[in-house]
Amino acid sequence: YHHLQDNIRYVNVDIDIGGLKPYAASYVCDKKYGDCKALTIYMKALLKFAGIPSHYTLVRAGQTVTPIDTEHPGQQFNHVILCVPMGKDTVWLENTARYLPYNYLGTFTQNRHALLVDGINSRLINITAMKPTDVEEHMVSQLTIDQQGNGEVKATYRLRGRKFEQFRYLISEGSTEDQKEQVAALTPFINYQNLSWTIASQERDARELTIQLSMDISRHIRKLGQTLAVKPPPVQLFDQELDRPDSRKQPFRLDFPLYRTDSLIYTLSFLERFQAELPAAAAIHTAYGSFTESYTLDHATSRIIVHRQLLIKPGVYPVTEYAGFFAFIEQIKKHHQQANLVFHPKT
């Protein structure tokens, strides 16, 4: 598989019947490129030579899961991957992406029907859905802030799932500017300057990626007379605002879990001169997911630590149920609006 990734390029070949019929393995061996069909046939031939059986497998791939109509046979697929049965386990090979690890399908092909080609035993199978731990985004941010609200942030992000896939692609194919744009999108902080980051080196088949970043921040404290207030940045939800229930006309679909855990560690040089008032802990549990947030005050180190965990379950929510899902998201937003770390001067 590594040989394929290092020596063969993916090129979409759909001229004439090439959009449906795979090119031979010899074609790929000679040209050093091919489309998903040709690369899969090539990998299948390599494995066959090594005495390893495998199965050409058709799938409807994409950023969203498009259901297959299992009652009406037809050309409903747009991609090909390779299934390698290994006793009671299965190895999946995505042969078009140089940047993905071995035996990794990811958000592009998870949780959907596929047609496994095996002669008269060809059959529809289900590709396993990604679990919350497969897509976890974990963030630890250390903020050192003075009484004017100025300071610095040093953060470590551990990414899995779609964000992991996006950054692996950018490392392989993107530019530094592309990386910078995506790193900036990761951070929940505003009023920052001098953003810098490093992506930790990793094994090529690792399924997670670690980014370390630092930035200067300002105006992170609001003054209310002699009282100071810090609003922790909200946990990131969706990239776009959700439709309100009264304007939603179609079911809402979430194809894989959204699972985020983070810790905000505030080191406040002024803490010993103030009396801290922390928000009540949050614990929201619904059929659609859960959100928890807790606060710890450590006088010995002048730190306040905020721990958060967000899980939004995948599913297809009909219009009749969408209002409940929307209310769950609004509960989280309302908590963030009200959650402030307040500091009253000691008398």
Side-chain angles (χ1 to χ4, degrees):
Y1 185 68
H2 290 166
H3 167 81
L4 171 75
Q5 288 183 310
D6 294 341
N7 295 281
I8 309 296
R9 294 181 297 114
Y10 168 75
V11 175
N12 184 22
V13 182
D14 58 4
I15 300 172
D16 197 28
I17 202 172
L20 294 173
K21 181 180 178 181
Y23 282 82
S26 58
Y27 175 91
V28 177
C29 188
D30 178 47
K31 302 292 186 182
K32 306 301 181 188
Y33 65 77
D35 62 10
C36 63
K37 302 181 297 300
L39 297 185
T40 299
I41 289 292
Y42 175 72
M43 175 56 70
K44 181 175 173 63
L46 294 179
L47 294 179
K48 182 180 179 181
F49 184 80
I52 302 172
S54 61
H55 299 289
Y56 188 89
T57 304
L58 294 152
V59 63
R60 181 77 181 185
Q63 296 301 323
T64 58
V65 176
T66 302
I68 295 296
D69 186 346
T70 60
E71 299 298 319
H72 295 86
Q75 172 56 301
Q76 302 178 58
F77 306 103
N78 64 359
H79 190 48
V80 180
I81 54 181
L82 195 65
C83 172
V84 186
M86 306 284 281
K88 295 183 179 181
D89 201 359
T90 301
V91 168
W92 290 102
L93 299 179
E94 167 56 76
N95 301 294
T96 61
R98 293 183 172 190
Y99 57 91
L100 290 180
Y102 164 77
N103 192 23
Y104 181 90
L105 291 184
T107 58
F108 194 61
T109 44
Q110 64 91 46
N111 192 26
R112 63 197 82 197
H113 279 109
L115 177 62
L116 184 143
V117 178
D118 186 18
I120 62 172
N121 296 315
S122 298
R123 58 199 179 274
L124 284 175
I125 60 172
N126 293 311
I127 296 179
T128 303
M130 300 184 86
K131 303 184 293 296
T133 52
D134 296 326
V135 299
E136 182 184 6
E137 299 173 21
H138 179 67
M139 176 184 74
V140 177
S141 299
Q142 301 192 47
L143 301 91
T144 304
I145 302 172
D146 62 22
Q147 194 168 332
Q148 285 68 47
N150 304 320
E152 65 175 0
V153 177
K154 293 186 180 297
T156 300
Y157 294 164
R158 188 188 69 214
L159 305 178
R160 297 174 180 165
R162 180 165 288 179
K163 290 265 176 40
F164 160 77
E165 296 159 17
Q166 290 173 342
F167 273 96
R168 283 288 289 255
Y169 173 79
L170 290 176
I171 293 168
S172 173
E173 311 290 342
S175 66
T176 302
E177 276 303 309
D178 293 332
Q179 289 185 31
K180 182 178 181 179
E181 182 178 336
Q182 290 301 313
V183 168
L186 282 178
T187 177
F189 302 103
I190 59 175
N191 299 327
Y192 67 83
Q193 307 84 32
N194 303 323
L195 174 65
S196 62
W197 76 96
T198 58
I199 299 176
S201 60
Q202 57 181 348
E203 296 294 327
R204 68 184 295 168
D205 292 322
R207 296 183 174 218
E208 65 180 38
L209 179 145
T210 299
I211 300 176
Q212 295 176 322
L213 60 91
S214 62
M215 68 191 81
D216 298 325
I217 56 173
S218 58
R219 291 174 288 163
H220 200 67
I221 288 179
R222 290 181 296 126
K223 294 186 178 181
L224 308 170
Q226 296 299 311
T227 298
L228 308 179
V230 174
K231 181 181 288 295
V235 65
Q236 293 178 303
L237 295 166
F238 300 104
D239 293 335
Q240 297 179 334
E241 286 292 318
L242 295 179
D243 296 332
R244 299 196 63 79
D246 55 5
S247 62
R248 187 78 191 182
K249 305 300 181 185
Q250 299 293 332
F252 179 82
R253 185 182 189 105
L254 188 63
D255 291 323
F256 51 87
L258 180 62
Y259 184 44
R260 290 175 175 149
T261 58
D262 64 38
S263 297
L264 301 166
I265 304 171
Y266 286 91
T267 300
L268 307 170
S269 59
F270 57 87
L271 187 57
E272 62 182 16
R273 301 192 304 277
F274 286 77
Q275 182 68 41
E277 179 184 332
L278 305 184
I284 303 170
H285 299 281
T286 73
Y288 313 105
S290 61
F291 172 74
T292 60
E293 184 168 83
S294 62
Y295 309 85
T296 303
L297 174 59
D298 186 349
H299 285 289
T301 59
S302 296
R303 287 180 172 180
I304 293 176
I305 304 171
V306 184
H307 291 293
R308 304 191 290 205
Q309 183 179 71
L310 169 71
L311 171 63
I312 302 179
K313 299 177 181 179
V316 180
Y317 302 109
V319 174
T320 53
E321 196 177 336
Y322 177 72
F325 181 87
F326 184 84
F328 165 55
I329 302 301
E330 289 299 299
Q331 273 186 280
I332 299 172
K333 290 182 178 180
K334 183 177 180 180
H335 168 77
H336 286 316
Q337 291 171 354
Q338 298 174 345
N340 290 282
L341 312 178
V342 180
F343 305 94
H344 304 286
K346 293 180 179 178
T347 56

